[in-house]
Amino acid sequence: MIRTALLAAALLLSGCGLRPLYGGGGSGPVAQTLRSVEVAPIPGQGGWLVRTALQDRFASDKVGARYRLEVELDDDITGFGIRSDNSVTRERRTLRARYRLVDAALGTVLLDETAGSDAGIDVVSSEYATVAAEQTALERLSQDVADQIVSRVALYVARTGAGQ
């Protein structure tokens, strides 16, 4: 009975059109295309963090780069949670990225989107601790933004068949 139900469920799901994004593993078409993306330099400390995270995820081979990823960052810290003495008790660090996937040979923009993330930071009496928390938030946000960008580029490649 259970075996029959599992077989029926497997047959139903096989017709739904879902396919694994990274089908074929490292030699699959999406993974191969992601390796052909070169990440352009991004100014600033946040830019260095995002670019490094993107390069790690793309595992790019600069020699055969068919695509270039251009990223513009907006890093903002906003204070809120004001005490009666007008001192800030909480901050929100927001990292937003506008990114474009460009065909390196033709110079045409294939994908133009945004990604972003934010984090809350407690402002404490130690200025050093607050600065350290702001830095940690930037490092974490850089990883989040890089993950979003890579996921969306991978979805674009899978949807359009780019690189095949």
Side-chain angles (χ1 to χ4, degrees):
M1 177 84 172
I2 294 175
R3 184 175 171 195
T4 306
L6 288 175
L7 182 59
L11 288 174
L12 286 173
L13 288 177
S14 67
C16 73
L18 291 177
R19 296 177 316 212
L21 182 60
Y22 292 102
S27 61
V30 172
Q32 287 180 356
T33 303
L34 292 182
R35 280 195 296 274
S36 67
V37 175
E38 178 185 1
V39 182
I42 309 168
Q45 181 184 23
W48 182 85
L49 290 167
V50 170
R51 184 171 190 248
T52 301
L54 287 168
Q55 288 173 323
D56 288 346
R57 286 158 179 77
F58 284 129
S60 173
D61 177 16
K62 289 186 178 183
V63 176
R66 294 176 52 193
Y67 305 98
R68 183 177 64 254
L69 186 70
E70 300 171 348
V71 181
E72 298 170 13
L73 287 182
D74 180 29
D75 181 15
D76 184 51
I77 298 177
T78 304
F80 63 98
I82 309 296
R83 290 189 184 119
S84 60
D85 64 352
N86 286 335
S87 62
V88 173
T89 60
R90 190 120 171 100
E91 295 176 335
R92 173 176 291 139
R93 186 162 206 161
T94 306
L95 186 64
R96 300 278 180 253
R98 178 177 181 204
Y99 60 95
R100 288 175 294 283
L101 184 66
V102 179
D103 184 306
L106 302 174
T108 57
V109 176
L110 304 172
L111 183 66
D112 187 350
E113 292 193 14
T114 60
S117 191
D118 62 3
I121 302 165
D122 286 328
V123 177
V124 295
S125 60
S126 167
E127 188 174 329
Y128 175 78
T130 301
V131 170
E134 291 171 351
Q135 179 63 32
T136 301
L138 179 60
E139 291 168 6
R140 195 171 56 251
L141 294 174
S142 298
Q143 299 292 321
D144 290 347
V145 167
D147 286 340
Q148 289 176 33
I149 292 172
V150 172
S151 295
R152 290 177 187 164
V153 170
L155 285 172
Y156 169 78
V157 169
R159 256 193 339 262
T160 63
Q164 295 179 5

